[in-house]
Amino acid sequence: MMMNSLLQSWVAGMATNTGKSSDKTLRGHGASPVQWLSIHGAAIRLALPCLIFLLSLGSLHAQVYQNLEYSVVGGAITITGYVGSDRVVSIPDKINNMRVTSIGDSAFFAWDSL
């Protein structure tokens, strides 16, 4: 429900008020906040869960250990990339006491010399 109040605050901030309650319109749209939400509400209800999901992926961002980028999902580590310049790379069994269980499909895609 917090997102609804944030959305309402945003819409209220977008509104201008000329003094008459009937003149309250969204800047540049010529619609009241209620009209605007009724027109665009379905798209917002679809977009917000997608946005929240994408923002939650930020917690899956790559971390780095000895020039190896990795992500942690469910206590298991996946090597996702390499940021070093060595020609020989050793994949450890564990990082931070968690098992390295996989190497991402394109983890070393840009490294022809490895």
Side-chain angles (χ1 to χ4, degrees), residues 15-58:
T16 58
N17 193 344
T18 60
K20 299 177 190 172
S21 62
S22 61
D23 289 344
K24 196 170 189 177
T25 61
L26 284 170
R27 293 182 190 134
H29 292 93
S32 72
V34 172
Q35 291 169 327
W36 190 89
L37 280 175
S38 69
I39 294 167
H40 301 290
I44 291 170
R45 282 189 292 279
L46 288 172
L48 279 177
C50 294
L51 178 61
I52 291 168
F53 172 74
L54 291 173
L55 291 174
S56 72
L57 291 179

Side-chain angles (χ1 to χ4, degrees), residues 62-71 78-83 107:
Q63 301 172 52
V64 178
Y65 174 81
Q66 296 180 353
N67 293 329
L68 293 169
E69 291 181 336
Y70 68 94
S71 62
T78 298
I79 303 298
T80 58
Y82 180 68
V83 294

